[in-house]
């Protein structure tokens, strides 16, 4: 049975996140406060600075000796059991025409699984962006 205090703790952790997400969505779609360029800059900041710094902070303040031993045992057991069925990425190839991940040009990816279960991933520019680029270059 769920106790009211437990529900309160869950809601105090989840509600601020959802309210901020709804406000962010509304400020872009409904109220037109931010442009797509603003969103691209914010996403780039989060990807390059915020996530690595917060990850470092979390990892550096984590005390592995204070972790729950049943949790560690469950994760270890899970890693040992799905080894034969899990696919492993054997090669990851990026085409030379990919310049940056600024989000302005669409990317296309292909994944192939060999007979032995090995996964090969290839990332390249979208063919439609290539066609439009060549069309712009060919115009007089």
């Amino acid at each position: 049975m769920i106790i009211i205090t437990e529900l309160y703790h869950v809601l105090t952790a989840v509600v601020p996140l959802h309210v901020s997400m709804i406000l962010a969505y509304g400020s872009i779609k409904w109220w037109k406060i931010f442009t797509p360029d603003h969103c691209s800059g914010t996403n780039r900041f989060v990807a390059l600075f915020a996530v690595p710094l917060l990850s470092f902070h979390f990892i550096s303040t984590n005390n592995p000796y204070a972790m729950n031993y049943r949790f560690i045992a469950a994760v270890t057991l899970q890693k040992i059991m799905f080894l034969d069925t899990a696919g492993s990425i054997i090669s990851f190839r990026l085409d030379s025409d990919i310049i940056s991940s600024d989000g302005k040009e669409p990317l296309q990816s292909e994944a192939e699984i060999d007979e032995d279960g090995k996964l090969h991933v290839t990332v390249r520019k979208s063919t439609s962006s290539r066609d439009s680029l060549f069309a712009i270059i060919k115009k007089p």
Side-chain angles (χ1 to χ4, degrees), residues 3 8 14-15 31 43 56 66 85 101 104 111-113 120 134:
I3 303 172
Y8 173 75
V14 173
V15 168
W31 306 308
N43 288 339
F56 177 76
T85 60
S101 60
K104 294 182 180 179
E112 298 174 356
I113 300 176
H120 299 273
F134 290 131

Side-chain angles (χ1 to χ4, degrees), residues 112-128:
E112 298 174 356
I113 300 176
D114 289 344
E115 294 85 21
D116 58 355
K118 295 182 179 177
L119 181 66
H120 299 273
V121 178
T122 303
V123 179
R124 65 175 57 90
K125 280 187 183 179
S126 172
T127 56
S128 62

Side-chain angles (χ1 to χ4, degrees), residues 66-88:
M67 292 180 77
N68 187 344
Y69 290 115
R70 289 186 358 192
F71 173 73
I72 295 172
V75 170
T76 305
L77 183 64
Q78 184 264 337
K79 298 288 184 191
I80 292 172
M81 289 179 60
F82 297 113
L83 286 179
D84 293 336
T85 60
S88 61

Side-chain angles (χ1 to χ4, degrees), residues 80-96:
I80 292 172
M81 289 179 60
F82 297 113
L83 286 179
D84 293 336
T85 60
S88 61
I89 296 178
I90 196 70
S91 70
F92 195 87
R93 188 173 66 87
L94 294 175
D95 282 354
S96 60

